[in-house]
Amino acid sequence: MIDDACAAPPDESEAGITGPPAGLVLVSTPIGNLGDLSPRARAALEAADLVLCEDTRHTARLLTAIGVHARTAPLHEHNEDARIPAVLAQLQAGRRIALVSDAGTPLLSDPGYRLVRAALAAGVAVHGVPGPNAAVTALVLSGLPPLPFLVLGFPPPRASARRAAFQALRAAEQAGLAATMIWYEAPHRLAETLADLAAVFGDRPAAVARELTKRFEEVRRDRVPALASHYDAEPARGEITVLLGPPAPGEVTQDQHDLDRQLRTALEHQSVKDAAALVTAATGLPRKLVYARALALAAGATVEE
Ligand code: SAM
């Protein structure tokens, strides 16, 4: 059902394209298609005394393409803390400072959170110019349940940490979480991430969104093991967002098969002791029970036992 407040048309007095007032403004930029830069984003960039960006050369290309001449300065993961005092001083002197990232909405797997916290703590106004975001675009195209959803950023790149992260989410499902989950992923890790999703969450609907808003846009919707096989055989290229549907209603969440699947995944790379500790933490099951099952599986036991 659509909420009345959500369905209300924009107030005409708000329909102009002037940039926001002085302060810090978070400006969303395209994720691949320049046509997605909004008139209000352009106005905010044009009105800015300074545009903070992850990569000044990348943002210079965007500004040139839209005919905006603005002063830029880098703000990235490695210098964000160091830059905050000088940026705050400029904001407190009444300057308009825009923050953009290389693509999409700043702060979401991109820099800016620490600056926003500091600006709010200093009483500086923070405004937003909403716009493109890969996770939400992928979600609405995926055919998976749109609400609730969880955007989880990039999975850990190392296999053991990634599986542990997935197992913690599986444990949250066993405690009642039922949401579509969304990750950003690099193309060279896609197949192994999908294989880990299949190992931890089992056979359920998923989607891979690639090159959204660009010429080779593709959304592949399938069961997660089929997606894992597909991208193992045909490595993907380009920008990728991965989505996993929620568990089916009534899915048995903590049966022997599920415990075994988690243990088998952990045992591929860890000792019985470490695998049992990881799965104990992820499932909340008694340590002795998990350890005994890990020993049995390591000795070649089957699910039916
Ligand atoms: N802040 C951005 C946003 O709002 O979407 C996300 C930044 S994150 C550093 C970049 C990742 O987003 C890429 O590695 C990819 O996983 C995903 N992504 C970005 N553009 C995309 C696109 N056009 N299609 C699919 N995924 C995309």
Side-chain angles (χ1 to χ4, degrees), residues 16-303:
I17 55 165
T18 50
L24 176 65
V25 52
L26 314 177
V27 181
S28 297
T29 59
I31 56 169
N33 190 321
L34 192 58
D36 292 334
L37 188 100
S38 72
R40 200 164 161 258
R42 188 184 184 287
L45 294 171
E46 193 154 48
D49 298 302
L50 178 67
V51 176
L52 294 171
C53 45
E54 276 188 276
D55 177 342
T56 49
R57 280 175 305 178
H58 182 97
T59 298
R61 284 196 291 276
L62 171 75
L63 294 174
T64 303
I66 61 171
V68 166
H69 303 280
R71 198 158 71 83
T72 61
L75 183 112
H76 46 69
E77 199 191 330
H78 305 294
N79 74 354
E80 185 169 349
D81 283 336
R83 286 204 75 99
I84 285 175
V87 173
L88 281 187
Q90 292 195 49
L91 287 166
Q92 282 164 331
R95 303 254 150 67
R96 290 165 197 256
I97 299 189
L99 173 70
V100 298
S101 62
D102 282 353
T105 300
L107 274 73
L108 300 180
S109 290
D110 277 337
Y113 173 64
R114 287 172 280 176
L115 175 60
V116 167
R117 293 278 303 173
L120 294 173
V124 169
V126 180
H127 309 281
V129 177
N133 168 250
V136 169
T137 308
L139 174 68
V140 295
L141 295 178
S142 69
L144 296 168
L147 288 174
F149 68 89
L150 270 183
V151 180
L152 295 147
F154 288 92
R158 285 171 52 113
S160 56
R162 184 170 59 236
R163 284 188 203 126
F166 291 166
Q167 274 161 342
L169 289 164
R170 180 68 183 143
E173 286 189 342
Q174 287 164 340
L177 174 72
T180 294
M181 294 191 245
I182 309 172
W183 291 270
Y184 297 136
E185 188 51 292
H188 63 278
R189 277 196 281 267
L190 177 62
E192 58 191 77
T193 288
L194 288 166
D196 287 346
L197 288 175
V200 174
F201 294 93
D203 184 1
R204 67 167 79 164
V208 172
R210 216 170 57 78
E211 294 287 272
L212 293 171
T213 76
K214 305 188 207 181
R215 188 167 166 210
F216 296 109
E217 173 174 302
E218 175 190 53
V219 181
R220 190 169 281 272
R221 306 163 183 93
D222 210 330
R223 316 287 299 182
V224 68
L227 287 171
S229 312
H230 174 82
Y231 287 108
D232 189 39
E234 285 181 43
R237 284 196 293 194
E239 306 257 36
I240 284 158
T241 298
V242 178
L243 307 99
L244 181 74
E251 180 180 309
V252 180
T253 52
Q254 197 146 304
D255 59 7
Q256 185 71 63
H257 288 75
D258 199 61
L259 172 63
D260 283 7
R261 186 168 56 236
Q262 294 200 39
L263 278 173
R264 280 188 212 282
T265 304
L267 283 167
E268 277 173 29
H269 297 276
Q270 300 187 58
S271 66
V272 168
K273 186 165 163 256
D274 290 347
L278 182 70
V279 176
T280 299
T283 59
L285 289 170
R287 190 179 60 79
K288 276 190 179 162
L289 181 152
V290 176
Y291 187 71
R293 188 62 189 160
L295 271 179
L297 287 176
T302 66
V303 154

